[in-house]
Amino acid sequence: MKHYSLILLAFTFFIASCKRQHISKTSDTQVIDSLKLAESKPANDSLVTQPVITPEVVVTETTDEEKVKIDEIDFKYLKAKAKVSYKSAKDNQSFTVDIRVRKDSLIWMNVSAFGITVATALFNDSLVKLYDKYHGEYKEYSYSSFAEKFNFNVNYDILQALVVGNRPFKKNKSRVTRSNEYYLLKQQENKVLIDNYIGENKKLKKILLTQEDTSNKLTLDFDDFTTLNQFLFPQSSLITLDYQSKEDQKMYQTLVNIKHTKVELLDTPLEFPFRVPEKLLNKN
C-alpha cells in the first residue's frame, strides 16, 4: 500500500523519480499483456527502442497543416474510469483511476485499490495538488518544480493530451513530413521537441517529446480507437518515460499502461471534489 501516492504520479508519468529501473538502451523489457497496443507488435519488440519511422518525402512547411489536419476530440467535460498498470524491474501493480476533465482548465484524478480511495490529484494550468489519503500527506507543486523533481518538463496541455489523445501544442508552428503510413508534424516548445505522428484516420497515434538539454524522452502511444460522440477516442495508451539519472548518470525507464473501461463526453458540468483535512493544509 505504501506506493499508491506514487502510483498516482505514475499515471501522469512522474513516478520515475521514485521507482528507479536501471536499463540499457537495448533493453528487451516486454509490454504488459493487458494493453492491446502490444498485440500488434512482434513478440520480441523492445519497449525501449521505439518504432523507427523515418521521414521520406517533405510534404509542406509550417503554413499548410490543413493537409494533415488532426481529427481532435471536442468536449466540454470528460468523465472516465481506467485500469492502470505500472511496471518496473522490481514492481508490477494495477489500480483503478477515476478521471474528470473540464477542457483546457482542470483535471481531477482519484486512485483506488480494492474499492478504497488511496490518493486524489487536481491539476490546473499552473498548479498540481496531491492528497495521499493513505499516508495522510498533502503536497502542492508548480509545474516547474515538477520538471525538476521528475526529470521532464511538463504542463497542463501535456497531461490533457495524455488523457484525451489530442495534440498538446496547437498554436505552435509546425513542419510536416511524410513518413511511411504516418504524417510527422514536428514542433518545438521552449526546450522540448515534439513529434506528432498522425495516422491515416487523422488521429494522433504517437507523441514523442524530447527534452533538448537532457535528451530525456516521453512517449505517448495511442491505440484501440472507438467511436464516442462522433469522435474516435483512444481506449488504450502506453506511456514511456526514458531519462538519465542525475545521481548516477544511468538510463532509467518508467512504463504505464492505461485501458479506459468507460468514457463519457458531457455538456453538463461535473464536480471536482478535493477535500483535504485542514491540519494537512497548514503543514503544506
Side-chain angles (χ1 to χ4, degrees), residues 64-125:
D64 201 9
E65 294 178 29
E66 289 298 316
K67 289 186 177 181
V68 290
K69 186 176 181 180
I70 300 171
D71 184 13
E72 298 201 329
I73 297 170
D74 189 19
F75 67 98
K76 293 182 179 179
Y77 294 89
L78 178 146
K79 182 179 181 181
K81 182 181 290 289
K83 297 293 185 181
V84 180
S85 298
Y86 161 73
K87 187 176 183 180
S88 71
K90 297 181 179 180
D91 199 8
N92 188 353
Q93 299 192 44
S94 299
F95 49 98
T96 300
V97 179
D98 289 288
I99 307 163
R100 297 181 184 183
V101 181
R102 185 170 67 212
K103 187 180 179 183
D104 299 333
S105 61
L106 199 62
I107 299 173
W108 173 91
M109 296 182 187
N110 189 76
V111 176
S112 60
F114 310 110
I116 301 173
T117 296
V118 292
T120 306
L122 195 65
F123 305 84
N124 62 28
D125 60 354

Side-chain angles (χ1 to χ4, degrees), residues 9 15 22 25 38 46 50 98 106 110 137 152 159 164 169 196 211 238 240-241 247-248 268 284:
L9 299 181
I15 198 170
H22 181 214
K25 291 186 178 181
S46 169
Q50 298 296 329
D98 289 288
L106 199 62
N110 189 76
E137 297 177 354
F152 203 90
L159 295 178
V164 182
F169 303 106
N196 303 272
Q211 195 164 293
L238 171 65
T240 307
L241 176 61
E247 287 76 18
D248 58 17
T268 306
N284 190 61

Side-chain angles (χ1 to χ4, degrees), residues 205-216:
K205 296 288 290 183
K206 171 180 174 179
I207 305 173
L208 172 62
L209 302 103
T210 305
Q211 195 164 293
E212 276 191 308
D213 53 348
T214 63
S215 295
N216 293 346

